[in-house]
Amino acid sequence: MRIDIVTIFPEFFATLDVSLLGKARQSGLLQTHVHDLRDVTTDKHRTVDDTPYGGGAGMVMKPEPWGDTLDAILADPDSSQRPVLIVPSPAGEPFTQVVAKELSQEEQLIFACGRYEGIDQRVSDHFATRMTVRPISLGDYVLNGGEVASLAMIEAIGRLIPGVVGNPDSLVEESHEDGLLEYPSYTKPAVWRDLEVPQVLLSGNHAAIAAWRHEQQLERTKRIRPDLLPE
Ligand code: JDE
């Protein structure tokens, strides 16, 4: 998979060198390209924003630097035929494990990291003819820019690329595919600060352990995320 990131803060993406995704990049399973939006500006102040038409607070990102940067990415002979343009935004569709799985099967993703109050709408409108544009929200809160949201999505997507996670079993168990929250996990020692590991986990009875874990998942989901349960 190829991932392009367009941002005015390329330093945020230095962390792509570490951990699992760093290994995926070293092994060639993942290529990442970070583009500084200000590199295509020509004025002394390297301006990327301006005041909103119609008035209102804050600034809006100008369309020209986005157009020039995205044109250059599409013109790269290694770019795919129709990449997916992901625009992190509180106004996007919710990011879920299902969305991560879909995106992990794409050849090329481009993350457009907006700052200020957002990006001139015509950038999405124009590139929708040349890419699949998906505004995506990490959750119902406002960040200062799309960078941190992009990093979270890249991590969730990157670990689903075949070969990136060492043990595929760990993907199946955590996959949220049953739509329930995870069961609680324990490891050694069996007693820590007077707290004991639940006896059933030490019993060796695999059916009883599976039943207990499922019960724990249901109880947690009912208590913390009742919206995930069917009627
Ligand atoms: C992504 N969940 C939240 C923020 C924004 C007022 C202030 C700022 C592309 O347009 C954007 C992007 C962002 C940054 O992303 C997030 C986010 N998932 O905040 C604004 C909108 N209204 C606009």
Side-chain angles (χ1 to χ4, degrees):
M1 173 184 285
R2 168 172 171 154
I3 295 181
D4 290 82
I5 299 151
V6 184
T7 173
I8 59 169
F9 291 119
E11 315 90 283
F12 269 100
F13 299 92
T15 55
L16 291 177
D17 289 342
V18 299
S19 190
L20 198 73
L21 291 188
K23 276 184 214 134
R25 290 176 66 219
Q26 279 175 352
S27 73
L29 286 167
L30 180 67
Q31 295 105 253
T32 60
H33 301 266
V34 182
H35 309 265
D36 186 339
L37 191 67
R38 292 195 201 273
D39 285 353
V40 298
T41 59
T42 52
D43 65 309
K44 191 175 107 206
H45 295 108
R46 308 182 86 198
T47 310
V48 294
D49 64 329
D50 206 337
T51 54
Y53 275 121
M59 300 292 271
V60 176
M61 295 192 100
K62 296 166 64 58
E64 301 95 323
W66 285 101
D68 293 348
T69 305
L70 294 170
D71 282 349
I73 293 170
L74 285 172
D76 183 333
D78 296 328
S79 195
S80 77
Q81 211 43 53
R82 195 179 167 83
V84 176
L85 181 67
I86 298 168
V87 186
S89 163
E93 71 172 298
F95 187 65
T96 62
Q97 194 66 24
V98 168
V99 172
K101 189 78 200 245
E102 280 170 25
L103 294 173
S104 73
Q105 283 148 30
E106 294 289 338
E107 246 179 86
Q108 186 181 7
L109 305 176
I110 305 173
F111 286 84
C113 303
R115 285 260 148 186
Y116 316 108
E117 311 301 302
I119 307 168
D120 187 301
Q121 180 59 38
R122 292 169 293 181
V123 174
S124 287
D125 295 347
H126 169 81
F127 283 97
T129 65
R130 303 167 68 196
M131 305 172 178
T132 302
V133 179
R134 287 184 80 166
I136 299 184
S137 168
L138 262 205
D140 293 336
Y141 40 80
V142 179
L143 304 170
N144 280 331
E147 284 79 7
V148 167
S150 292
L151 281 169
M153 289 190 244
I154 290 166
E155 181 156 320
I157 295 163
R159 61 192 291 284
L160 299 178
I161 299 170
V164 168
V165 165
N167 175 11
D169 287 350
S170 63
L171 283 180
V172 177
E173 284 226 340
E174 310 167 3
S175 67
H176 269 246
E177 261 159 31
D178 53 12
L180 299 175
L181 300 185
E182 298 312 309
Y183 52 77
S185 298
Y186 299 86
T187 186
K188 292 168 275 298
V191 182
W192 178 74
R193 299 193 180 183
D194 286 340
L195 295 169
E196 291 175 9
V197 170
Q199 280 307 123
V200 64
L201 299 179
L202 312 176
S203 69
N205 181 340
H206 298 295
I209 291 169
W212 181 85
R213 285 177 168 169
H214 188 65
E215 231 168 76
Q216 290 288 313
Q217 286 191 280
L218 285 172
E219 184 281 320
R220 271 189 172 182
T221 307
K222 228 179 291 178
R223 179 163 48 86
I224 301 167
R225 292 294 305 278
D227 58 296
L228 294 178
L229 288 172
E231 298 301 304

